[in-house]
Amino acid sequence: MTAKRPLNVVKIRKMKQQKEPLTMITAYDYPSAKLAEEAGIDLILVGDSLGNVVLGYDSTIPVTLDDMVYHSRATARGAGNTFIVADMPFMTYHGSIDETLRGVRRLMQEGHAHAVKMEGGLEIASAVKAIVQAGVPVLGHIGLTPQSVNTIGGYRVQGKDAEDAKRLMNEAKALEEAGAFAVVLELVAEETAAAISRELSIPTIGIGAGRGCDGQVLVFHDVVKYASPYMEKRFVKTFADIGSQIRGGIEDYVNEVKSGAFPAENHVFKADEGVGESLDSLYGGGRSEEKPAHAGDGTSDKKKVGAQA
Ligand code: KIV
């Protein structure tokens, strides 16, 4: 576990100058945020990948501002010393600036985020500028932008040919000019992402964008293999297999209840002597004098934790 140091946009920019890689992970609730902070992560993203990995949708499009506010607030409670960025969800920043700022206000005031993230390049530059001018840090996001999956033809690697690479470079520069404090590059060819990272003075944070980025971001559920639907993606590395452990633990619980091994003697609370019998004689219980064959005596209860009063 690393000692915690609160970050801000000035320090984030300095980390690029000092060539210190930025670490970012998504989190969506109190426990995931708490564990990420305890592990020493630099930034937490309350991503709208929430839709896929927590809410069970097949894209980020159904995620609402209410969803983001609710999960951002829970995340902030779990990681009070970490810089938290919350995603602006689908179609909440393409209308009027007033409407956009209302959404930003909710993520900051109700969701307790320190910054917002938005997908897009040139077409959102004026919205980015207005938000930054209102005093809110903005994290850009270009390359594969899941909110536009229906117009970019699926989840395809971006910036592979010279023309597309130039397009991405221009988008990154437009975001920098508009005042973004960093840019996420998602699913971008390594050489293109590295060139963008060299060109920008603000940090790039890559996901599936190779080794030339100034930092990396991954989805929490992918990192720890927690029932993630993204698992087959090549850019994901699994660092723990918590899903199997959770499944195994629940299987053990089910089996021990079925066999009568749980709850055992040390998990129960005792009434005064004779209370059970007197209730039986009053209410007619205890017709079967025999203890059920499966009743737990604790002998097969290998993984018990102490009973909590
Ligand atoms: O929503 C999300 O998790 C993201 C990351 C993949 C960068 O946008």
Side-chain angles (χ1 to χ4, degrees), residues 110-189:
E110 298 172 41
H112 301 163
H114 301 102
V116 298
K117 177 165 81 59
M118 297 154 70
E119 295 182 7
L122 289 158
E123 77 283 10
I124 62 156
S126 59
V128 171
K129 198 168 181 178
I131 297 168
V132 173
Q133 277 173 352
V136 175
V138 174
L139 175 60
H141 180 165
I142 58 172
L144 189 282
T145 45
Q147 289 173 15
S148 325
V149 66
N150 293 322
T151 54
I152 57 180
Y155 297 92
R156 295 211 318 248
V157 177
Q158 308 284 302
K160 281 177 106 168
D161 61 54
E163 196 184 327
D164 203 39
K166 243 187 233 164
R167 175 186 64 82
L168 285 177
M169 178 66 88
N170 288 335
E171 289 189 339
K173 280 166 161 282
L175 291 169
E176 175 169 47
E177 213 161 286
F181 73 87
V183 183
V184 167
L185 303 177
E186 180 165 357
L187 220 55
V188 174

Side-chain angles (χ1 to χ4, degrees), residues 81-120:
N81 292 315
T82 303
F83 192 85
I84 293 173
V85 184
D87 256 333
M88 292 283 283
F90 181 68
M91 291 293 279
T92 56
Y93 47 99
H94 298 89
S96 70
I97 292 295
D98 280 355
E99 190 193 345
T100 300
L101 291 178
R102 270 198 295 276
V104 172
R105 182 196 66 70
R106 289 199 61 202
L107 288 174
M108 304 288 286
Q109 278 192 323
E110 298 172 41
H112 301 163
H114 301 102
V116 298
K117 177 165 81 59
M118 297 154 70
E119 295 182 7

Side-chain angles (χ1 to χ4, degrees), residues 252-253 256-257 259-271 295-309:
D252 287 350
Y253 165 59
E256 291 202 6
V257 172
S259 72
F262 176 82
E265 183 67 19
N266 58 330
H267 301 123
V268 301
F269 306 96
K270 294 292 191 190
D297 59 6
T299 49
S300 62
D301 186 12
K302 295 194 186 85
K303 293 190 186 111
K304 71 182 62 133
V305 285
Q308 289 167 3

Side-chain angles (χ1 to χ4, degrees), residues 31-43:
S32 57
K34 186 170 187 299
L35 292 172
E37 177 167 294
E38 286 172 1
I41 201 80
D42 291 321
L43 302 109

